[in-house]
Amino acid sequence: METINEQTTTIDIAALKAQLTGPGAPFELTDVEVNGQPLAVFRQAPVSLPALIGASRVHGDKTFIVYQGERWSFTRFFAEADALASWLHAQGLEPGDRVAIAMRNRPEWAVAFVAAAMLGAVPAPINSFGLGNELRSALQSVAPSVLCCDSDRLKRLEGDPGVPGCHVVRVGEPVESRHDAQDYHTLIQGPQHALPEVHLAPDDPALILFTSGATSQAKGVLSSQRAVCQALTNIDYIGAISAMSSPRTIQRIMQSGHEPTTLTAVPLFHVSGLHAQLLTALSKGRRLVFLHRWDTREALELMRVEQVTQFNGAPSMVRQLLAEEEFFDPAIQDVLMGLGFGGAGLPESLIDRVLTRMPEKLLGIGYGMTESNGVCAAISGDLFKSNPTSSGLISPLMQVRIASADDAELPNGEVGEICLRGAALMQGYWSGNGVSRQALADGWLHTGDLGYRDDQGFLYVVDRLKDIINRSGENIAAAEVESCLMTHPAVIEAAVFGVPDPDTDEAVMAVVSVAPEWDPNPQALRRHVADALAGYKVPVEIEIRQQPLPRNPVGKLIKPRIKREFLEERSS
């Protein structure tokens, strides 16, 4: 495989890591046995989500969440979480039971998550962009005891989660339904009962998040208490090593005197929204400003009015902000201290623009997966400026193996599949029969991403093996869209793929082969997909062919050729 030239930096990374992770250090490492393997963990990490939540009550009357003109203090937040937890306990909710959450970003989403976690139950956030059949499929897979959802999601479900015995808590206006949904605001006014003390082991279940993966149906990712708490502590570690390697930038931030405030635009059902924003702010006493849905103009207005100091989002969101001259208004820039990108390596044009227009900010990037609770690699500050094309420094929690096509380990500098092993990894994929550990052969998670590692521990992600399209930070399984297209009676076969797009990172495109007696137009096929899948999954363009799509000798679609022909046709 091709060898890549390494980039260097003058910062002594090894010394910084040793200072942070050595004996007696704030991020001291020790080994624990997980599934028979010794894995590194942070010794001082919280032992469970209930322990982390309990310690967060000290923030009292500080503002926690700002949402559509409302300001929630930590005191109000915990009062509502305690009230909801009391009702959940009265319904017989036990540790390990699932509580599904299906809402847009709003304070009640966070209340539902915390109330469930306090009782040792397993929150299972659902992708709120899904249509009724997508929501119901996710619900049926985790069989929750309780569903907390907003009115819009309940309408999509036609008032019924499709899970026998599932209690429904509704946030928002009443929805006509045969199912007896409980009104959230009525519940939190009800009588409260003493909550039981919850004692959880590190391997007890903590969380189910859904990921598209490369299959046609979203998969539930089950993580343990240890995995989630280690991942949250890893976020603190990233901040510490960034601070130590960027002293001048940190000094400017400390001298600014602005209250740490994050604009939360990424969905809370993503690991980037849940771990790096909601749970981190909860434990650290920081302020979050929730954006109900992404809108560049509204984001800019909230940044100005709420004095936002940090924004982390998909590259497409950052690109849209940079395209607005208003983003560089001193009223925003004098307060904004940090800007973070989710995902893998960034386009060079975006890197150049950010470094040119915002050289004094604490800029950063991270790479991780739902299956790793977001843990793999990250950098910010001077380390990012020195290595802007990397996806970050590999976490001390994570072992990274670069594998060849025949699964041999490759040396530094050579490109192969990125494989991960560590205490922050999931326990497995959730299904109706429990958890499958097939994805974790010998403890290694094969990510489906191609990349390489340099001698200093920087990871570079260069491509994807998986058939996944990333649209504005949302993963779309091409197989899911292909399967949907082929339910149309005219479509014989379909190939779906992503193409670079300046506004959304990647745009969804499709090429379909139809039967000779049919003459459907592309808009009819787009409406067909829109009737079954979330709007962001609908192809922007569909090319219709009367002849079969090209296949290799074993019958597999030759998607690179189909994509190349599609792009050549568009450019001609």
Side-chain angles (χ1 to χ4, degrees), residues 291-330:
L291 189 60
H292 187 66
R293 59 171 56 86
W294 176 250
D295 179 272
T296 309
R297 304 302 303 176
E298 186 177 351
L300 291 169
E301 181 64 16
L302 285 172
M303 284 182 172
R304 178 186 298 104
V305 172
E306 297 296 339
Q307 299 283 279
V308 168
T309 63
Q310 180 71 38
F311 178 75
N312 297 336
S316 61
M317 294 177 178
V318 176
R319 189 181 297 112
Q320 290 170 47
L321 289 174
L322 291 169
E324 299 286 342
E325 197 57 37
E326 185 181 346
F327 180 56
F328 299 99
D329 187 323

Side-chain angles (χ1 to χ4, degrees), residues 87-88 90-93 100 144-148 161 163-169 179-182:
W87 181 84
L88 291 171
Q91 309 316 303
L93 193 72
S145 299
V146 179
L147 165 65
C148 296
V163 178
C166 177
H167 299 281
V168 177
V169 176
H179 195 94
D180 185 21
Q182 303 292 319

Side-chain angles (χ1 to χ4, degrees), residues 363-409:
L363 308 172
I365 186 172
Y367 165 77
M369 307 175 68
T370 306
E371 290 90 336
S372 70
N373 281 282
V375 178
C376 182
I379 47 170
S380 64
D382 289 355
L383 286 173
F384 174 80
K385 294 173 185 176
S386 300
N387 303 268
T389 59
S390 88
S391 294
L393 272 175
I394 296 170
S395 165
L397 289 182
M398 196 62 66
Q399 302 171 33
V400 173
R401 179 174 179 267
I402 306 298
S404 66
D406 58 0
D407 205 34
E409 185 166 3

